[in-house]
Amino acid sequence: MFGDQELYSILETFFQEIDSSDFSLVQIGAADGRDHVNELVLEYGSLNNWSCLFVEPGNLYFEMLKQTYKDTNYLFERSAISNKTEKAMFHRPMPASLKEKIGAGLNPLKAKEKSDKKAFAKALKRGSLVASNYSLRTTREETGGKPVFFETLVPCLSLKDLLLKHNLEKVDFLHVDAEGYDFEIIKQIDFSSRFRPLLICYEEWGGAKFKEGDDLSGGITLGPTASLECRKLLQKNKYLIHIVDSEDTTKNIIAIDTTRLNFKF
Protein backbone atom coordinates (compact mmCIF):
# COMPACT_ATOMS: atom_id res chain seq x y z
CA MET A 1 0.00 0.00 0.00
CA PHE A 2 1.38 3.37 -0.95
CA GLY A 3 0.38 4.83 2.41
CA ASP A 4 2.63 2.38 4.24
CA GLN A 5 5.47 3.10 1.81
CA GLU A 6 5.19 6.85 2.39
CA LEU A 7 4.97 6.31 6.14
CA TYR A 8 8.10 4.18 6.13
CA SER A 9 9.92 6.72 3.97
CA ILE A 10 9.14 9.54 6.43
CA LEU A 11 10.11 7.46 9.45
CA GLU A 12 13.32 6.36 7.75
CA THR A 13 14.22 10.03 7.14
CA PHE A 14 13.41 10.75 10.79
CA PHE A 15 15.78 8.06 12.05
CA GLN A 16 18.50 9.10 9.62
CA GLU A 17 18.43 12.60 11.13
CA ILE A 18 18.49 11.72 14.82
CA ASP A 19 20.65 9.71 17.17
CA SER A 20 18.41 6.80 18.14
CA SER A 21 20.91 5.14 20.46
CA ASP A 22 19.16 3.36 23.35
CA PHE A 23 15.76 4.16 21.86
CA SER A 24 12.67 2.65 23.48
CA LEU A 25 9.89 1.41 21.18
CA VAL A 26 6.42 0.33 22.27
CA GLN A 27 4.23 -1.09 19.50
CA ILE A 28 0.59 -1.65 20.44
CA GLY A 29 -1.32 -3.83 17.99
CA ALA A 30 1.84 -5.40 16.58
CA ALA A 31 -0.01 -8.25 14.80
CA ASP A 32 2.55 -10.70 13.36
CA GLY A 33 5.32 -8.09 13.37
CA ARG A 34 5.82 -8.09 9.61
CA ASP A 35 5.31 -4.41 8.82
CA HIS A 36 7.13 -1.09 8.42
CA VAL A 37 8.01 -1.10 12.12
CA ASN A 38 9.83 -4.39 11.64
CA GLU A 39 11.87 -2.82 8.83
CA LEU A 40 12.85 0.07 11.11
CA VAL A 41 13.78 -2.27 13.96
CA LEU A 42 15.94 -4.36 11.64
CA GLU A 43 17.62 -1.32 10.10
CA TYR A 44 18.10 0.88 13.17
CA GLY A 45 17.14 -1.02 16.29
CA SER A 46 19.77 -3.72 16.24
CA LEU A 47 22.53 -1.18 15.50
CA ASN A 48 21.45 1.33 18.15
CA ASN A 49 20.60 -0.95 21.07
CA TRP A 50 16.85 -0.35 21.01
CA SER A 51 14.65 -1.78 23.72
CA CYS A 52 11.35 -2.93 22.23
CA LEU A 53 8.02 -3.99 23.69
CA PHE A 54 5.55 -5.59 21.28
CA VAL A 55 1.91 -5.86 22.34
CA GLU A 56 -0.66 -8.12 20.67
CA PRO A 57 -3.78 -9.72 22.20
CA GLY A 58 -4.53 -12.39 19.60
CA ASN A 59 -3.11 -15.85 20.34
CA LEU A 60 -2.29 -16.71 16.72
CA TYR A 61 -0.72 -13.36 15.89
CA PHE A 62 1.15 -13.35 19.21
CA GLU A 63 2.92 -16.62 18.41
CA MET A 64 3.78 -15.35 14.91
CA LEU A 65 5.04 -12.09 16.43
CA LYS A 66 7.44 -13.93 18.72
CA GLN A 67 8.72 -15.90 15.73
CA THR A 68 9.32 -12.68 13.79
CA TYR A 69 11.56 -11.42 16.58
CA LYS A 70 13.03 -14.72 17.73
CA ASP A 71 16.60 -14.72 19.00
CA THR A 72 16.21 -11.20 20.40
CA ASN A 73 15.87 -9.94 23.97
CA TYR A 74 12.78 -7.86 23.12
CA LEU A 75 9.73 -7.89 25.37
CA PHE A 76 6.28 -9.22 24.46
CA GLU A 77 2.84 -8.75 25.99
CA ARG A 78 -0.26 -10.75 25.01
CA SER A 79 -2.89 -8.22 26.01
CA ALA A 80 -5.08 -5.53 24.56
CA ILE A 81 -4.46 -2.02 25.83
CA SER A 82 -7.61 -0.60 27.35
CA ASN A 83 -8.53 2.18 29.74
CA LYS A 84 -8.91 -0.50 32.44
CA THR A 85 -6.85 -3.50 33.49
CA GLU A 86 -9.40 -6.29 33.17
CA LYS A 87 -10.75 -8.83 30.67
CA ALA A 88 -12.81 -7.38 27.83
CA MET A 89 -14.54 -8.49 24.66
CA PHE A 90 -12.45 -8.45 21.49
CA HIS A 91 -14.40 -8.06 18.24
CA ARG A 92 -13.30 -9.53 14.89
CA PRO A 93 -15.49 -8.65 11.89
CA MET A 94 -16.17 -11.45 9.42
CA PRO A 95 -18.94 -12.77 7.16
CA ALA A 96 -21.72 -14.53 9.07
CA SER A 97 -21.18 -17.61 6.89
CA LEU A 98 -17.57 -17.90 8.06
CA LYS A 99 -18.54 -17.49 11.71
CA GLU A 100 -21.06 -20.30 11.29
CA LYS A 101 -18.41 -22.56 9.76
CA ILE A 102 -15.99 -21.85 12.62
CA GLY A 103 -18.78 -22.62 15.08
CA ALA A 104 -19.29 -25.93 13.30
CA GLY A 105 -15.63 -26.82 13.77
CA LEU A 106 -13.86 -25.35 10.73
CA ASN A 107 -10.21 -24.44 11.23
CA PRO A 108 -10.10 -21.30 9.05
CA LEU A 109 -6.36 -21.70 8.54
CA LYS A 110 -7.08 -24.98 6.76
CA ALA A 111 -10.19 -23.85 4.92
CA LYS A 112 -10.50 -25.09 1.34
CA GLU A 113 -12.22 -21.90 0.17
CA LYS A 114 -9.74 -19.11 -0.54
CA SER A 115 -12.43 -16.57 0.28
CA ASP A 116 -12.73 -18.02 3.80
CA LYS A 117 -8.98 -17.85 4.35
CA LYS A 118 -8.85 -14.27 3.08
CA ALA A 119 -11.81 -13.17 5.21
CA PHE A 120 -10.27 -14.79 8.31
CA ALA A 121 -6.93 -13.07 7.70
CA LYS A 122 -8.69 -9.70 7.53
CA ALA A 123 -10.71 -10.52 10.65
CA LEU A 124 -7.48 -11.17 12.53
CA LYS A 125 -6.02 -7.88 11.36
CA ARG A 126 -9.14 -5.88 12.26
CA GLY A 127 -9.72 -7.31 15.72
CA SER A 128 -10.47 -4.56 18.22
CA LEU A 129 -11.91 -3.67 21.59
CA VAL A 130 -14.31 -1.53 19.55
CA ALA A 131 -17.40 -3.07 17.95
CA SER A 132 -17.52 -0.54 15.15
CA ASN A 133 -19.94 0.03 12.31
CA TYR A 134 -16.94 1.06 10.22
CA SER A 135 -15.38 -2.40 10.36
CA LEU A 136 -18.71 -4.07 9.60
CA ARG A 137 -19.25 -1.84 6.56
CA THR A 138 -15.72 -2.55 5.35
CA THR A 139 -16.22 -6.30 5.72
CA ARG A 140 -19.51 -6.10 3.81
CA GLU A 141 -17.89 -4.18 0.96
CA GLU A 142 -15.02 -6.64 0.68
CA THR A 143 -16.95 -9.91 0.95
CA GLY A 144 -20.50 -9.09 -0.12
CA GLY A 145 -21.75 -11.15 2.79
CA LYS A 146 -23.61 -10.20 5.95
CA PRO A 147 -20.97 -9.02 8.45
CA VAL A 148 -20.97 -10.06 12.11
CA PHE A 149 -18.48 -10.05 14.96
CA PHE A 150 -16.64 -13.12 16.20
CA GLU A 151 -16.08 -12.25 19.86
CA THR A 152 -13.67 -13.55 22.48
CA LEU A 153 -12.54 -12.36 25.90
CA VAL A 154 -8.96 -11.09 26.05
CA PRO A 155 -6.78 -9.81 28.90
CA CYS A 156 -6.35 -6.03 28.97
CA LEU A 157 -3.92 -3.62 30.59
CA SER A 158 -4.08 0.13 30.90
CA LEU A 159 -1.18 1.95 29.26
CA LYS A 160 0.26 2.87 32.66
CA ASP A 161 0.04 -0.72 33.92
CA LEU A 162 1.68 -1.98 30.71
CA LEU A 163 4.68 0.32 31.10
CA LEU A 164 5.07 -0.43 34.81
CA LYS A 165 4.69 -4.19 34.31
CA HIS A 166 7.65 -4.25 31.95
CA ASN A 167 9.73 -1.80 34.00
CA LEU A 168 10.23 0.66 31.16
CA GLU A 169 12.25 3.74 31.97
CA LYS A 170 10.94 5.76 29.02
CA VAL A 171 9.05 5.58 25.73
CA ASP A 172 10.69 7.25 22.74
CA PHE A 173 8.55 5.78 19.96
CA LEU A 174 4.91 4.83 20.57
CA HIS A 175 3.25 3.06 17.65
CA VAL A 176 -0.48 2.34 17.95
CA ASP A 177 -2.71 0.37 15.58
CA ALA A 178 -5.74 -0.53 17.66
CA GLU A 179 -8.44 -0.50 14.96
CA GLY A 180 -10.52 2.40 16.23
CA TYR A 181 -9.27 2.37 19.83
CA ASP A 182 -6.18 4.47 19.18
CA PHE A 183 -7.46 7.71 20.76
CA GLU A 184 -8.47 5.85 23.93
CA ILE A 185 -4.83 4.76 24.28
CA ILE A 186 -3.31 8.13 23.39
CA LYS A 187 -5.55 9.83 25.98
CA GLN A 188 -3.77 7.78 28.63
CA ILE A 189 -0.32 9.24 27.91
CA ASP A 190 1.06 11.25 30.81
CA PHE A 191 2.74 14.03 28.83
CA SER A 192 4.41 15.40 31.95
CA SER A 193 6.17 12.12 32.78
CA ARG A 194 9.23 10.26 31.57
CA PHE A 195 6.87 8.29 29.33
CA ARG A 196 6.22 11.29 27.08
CA PRO A 197 7.08 9.92 23.60
CA LEU A 198 9.32 11.74 21.18
CA LEU A 199 7.49 10.11 18.28
CA ILE A 200 3.90 8.82 18.08
CA CYS A 201 2.33 7.01 15.15
CA TYR A 202 -1.29 5.93 15.05
CA GLU A 203 -4.11 5.18 12.62
CA GLU A 204 -7.13 7.36 11.95
CA TRP A 205 -10.27 6.21 10.17
CA GLY A 206 -12.12 8.42 7.69
CA GLY A 207 -14.30 8.49 4.61
CA ALA A 208 -18.05 8.53 4.13
CA LYS A 209 -18.61 5.22 5.94
CA PHE A 210 -16.99 6.51 9.16
CA LYS A 211 -19.71 8.34 11.08
CA GLU A 212 -20.31 9.84 14.51
CA GLY A 213 -21.25 7.31 17.18
CA ASP A 214 -19.53 4.52 15.28
CA ASP A 215 -18.99 2.32 18.35
CA LEU A 216 -21.99 -0.02 18.51
CA SER A 217 -21.36 -0.90 22.14
CA GLY A 218 -21.43 2.75 23.17
CA GLY A 219 -18.34 2.24 25.28
CA ILE A 220 -16.27 5.02 23.73
CA THR A 221 -16.73 8.14 21.64
CA LEU A 222 -15.80 7.12 18.09
CA GLY A 223 -16.23 9.18 14.95
CA PRO A 224 -14.73 12.08 12.98
CA THR A 225 -15.08 14.49 15.92
CA ALA A 226 -13.09 12.17 18.20
CA SER A 227 -10.39 11.92 15.51
CA LEU A 228 -10.03 15.70 15.48
CA GLU A 229 -9.96 15.76 19.29
CA CYS A 230 -7.03 13.35 19.24
CA ARG A 231 -5.06 15.65 16.96
CA LYS A 232 -5.96 18.67 19.12
CA LEU A 233 -4.78 16.84 22.26
CA LEU A 234 -1.39 16.21 20.68
CA GLN A 235 -1.10 19.75 19.34
CA LYS A 236 -2.02 21.13 22.77
CA ASN A 237 0.91 19.15 24.17
CA LYS A 238 3.22 20.66 21.52
CA TYR A 239 3.36 17.85 18.99
CA LEU A 240 3.76 18.56 15.28
CA ILE A 241 1.19 16.57 13.29
CA HIS A 242 1.71 15.10 9.83
CA ILE A 243 -0.97 13.13 7.96
CA VAL A 244 -0.14 10.29 5.58
CA ASP A 245 -3.03 9.24 3.34
CA SER A 246 -3.55 5.60 2.48
CA GLU A 247 -5.12 4.03 -0.59
CA ASP A 248 -8.23 3.22 1.46
CA THR A 249 -10.04 5.55 3.86
CA THR A 250 -7.55 5.28 6.71
CA LYS A 251 -4.81 7.76 7.49
CA ASN A 252 -1.51 7.31 9.31
CA ILE A 253 -0.79 10.12 11.75
CA ILE A 254 2.78 10.99 12.75
CA ALA A 255 3.28 13.25 15.78
CA ILE A 256 6.69 14.59 16.86
CA ASP A 257 7.43 16.30 20.17
CA THR A 258 8.54 19.81 19.23
CA THR A 259 9.88 20.50 22.74
CA ARG A 260 12.62 17.95 22.09
CA LEU A 261 13.17 18.02 18.33
CA ASN A 262 12.89 20.48 15.46
CA PHE A 263 11.91 18.23 12.57
CA LYS A 264 10.50 19.35 9.22
CA PHE A 265 8.28 17.06 7.18
Side-chain angles (χ1 to χ4, degrees):
M1 295 172 61
F2 73 82
D4 284 342
Q5 292 172 354
E6 182 182 352
L7 176 62
Y8 175 78
S9 177
I10 293 172
L11 292 176
E12 185 177 39
T13 300
F14 175 86
F15 285 108
Q16 287 172 349
E17 292 187 10
I18 69 166
D19 178 6
S20 65
S21 299
D22 300 315
F23 229 57
S24 176
L25 161 69
V26 176
Q27 185 181 12
I28 297 172
D32 62 1
R34 298 187 179 278
D35 56 12
H36 57 271
V37 175
N38 174 255
E39 295 179 54
L40 293 168
V41 170
L42 293 177
E43 186 169 356
Y44 299 98
S46 57
L47 294 176
N48 293 298
N49 194 36
W50 284 15
S51 61
C52 300
L53 170 57
F54 299 102
V55 183
E56 171 56 43
N59 289 333
L60 181 59
Y61 262 162
F62 187 73
E63 294 305 317
M64 297 167 71
L65 175 65
K66 289 195 295 184
Q67 279 298 114
T68 298
Y69 292 105
K70 65 180 180 180
D71 302 324
T72 71
N73 59 358
Y74 296 149
L75 301 172
F76 301 90
E77 175 63 44
R78 191 180 67 80
S79 296
I81 304 307
S82 177
N83 46 30
K84 295 180 181 178
T85 295
E86 60 182 5
K87 286 192 174 181
M89 198 64 71
F90 204 66
H91 312 272
R92 295 180 176 91
M94 64 176 61
S97 58
L98 177 57
K99 182 178 179 180
E100 290 172 2
K101 291 177 183 178
I102 293 174
L106 172 72
N107 181 343
L109 296 176
K110 298 180 180 179
K112 294 181 180 180
E113 297 290 336
K114 290 184 178 180
S115 59
D116 285 341
K117 286 185 176 180
K118 185 176 181 180
F120 183 68
K122 289 185 177 294
L124 286 179
K125 178 67 178 71
R126 294 189 176 129
S128 177
L129 291 174
V130 179
S132 72
N133 251 321
Y134 178 89
S135 59
L136 290 182
R137 294 186 190 104
T138 301
T139 299
R140 182 186 294 111
E141 289 176 2
E142 291 176 344
T143 67
K146 177 185 175 182
V148 295
F149 287 112
F150 185 91
E151 297 175 319
T152 55
L153 277 174
V154 298
C156 300
L157 291 170
S158 68
L159 180 61
K160 178 180 178 180
D161 286 348
L162 170 74
L163 302 179
L164 293 177
K165 177 180 178 179
H166 291 278
N167 298 311
L168 299 190
E169 296 182 359
K170 60 175 182 171
V171 178
D172 294 303
F173 182 9
L174 177 63
H175 190 287
V176 182
D177 186 357
E179 297 298 315
Y181 204 80
D182 301 45
F183 185 25
E184 295 301 307
I185 295 171
I186 290 170
K187 280 193 287 190
Q188 297 179 55
I189 299 172
D190 183 350
F191 292 103
S192 64
S193 75
R194 69 181 190 273
F195 297 126
R196 177 187 175 102
L198 172 63
L199 171 66
I200 302 171
C201 291
Y202 68 97
E203 187 180 71
E204 181 181 283
W205 289 347
K209 62 185 175 183
F210 185 48
K211 305 178 186 299
E212 299 295 349
D214 195 83
D215 177 21
L216 295 173
S217 66
I220 67 170
T221 301
L222 183 64
T225 299
S227 297
L228 291 176
E229 288 177 357
C230 186
R231 295 189 203 177
K232 289 178 181 178
L233 174 66
L234 292 168
Q235 290 169 331
K236 178 182 177 181
N237 284 281
K238 302 188 184 305
Y239 281 82
L240 176 65
I241 301 292
H242 184 74
I243 303 167
V244 181
D245 289 320
S246 184
E247 63 185 15
D248 54 21
T249 56
T250 63
K251 301 177 187 294
N252 290 301
I253 309 298
I254 303 173
I256 295 177
D257 181 4
T258 61
T259 68
R260 297 166 58 190
L261 184 67
N262 182 19
F263 180 83
K264 301 297 183 183
F265 288 103

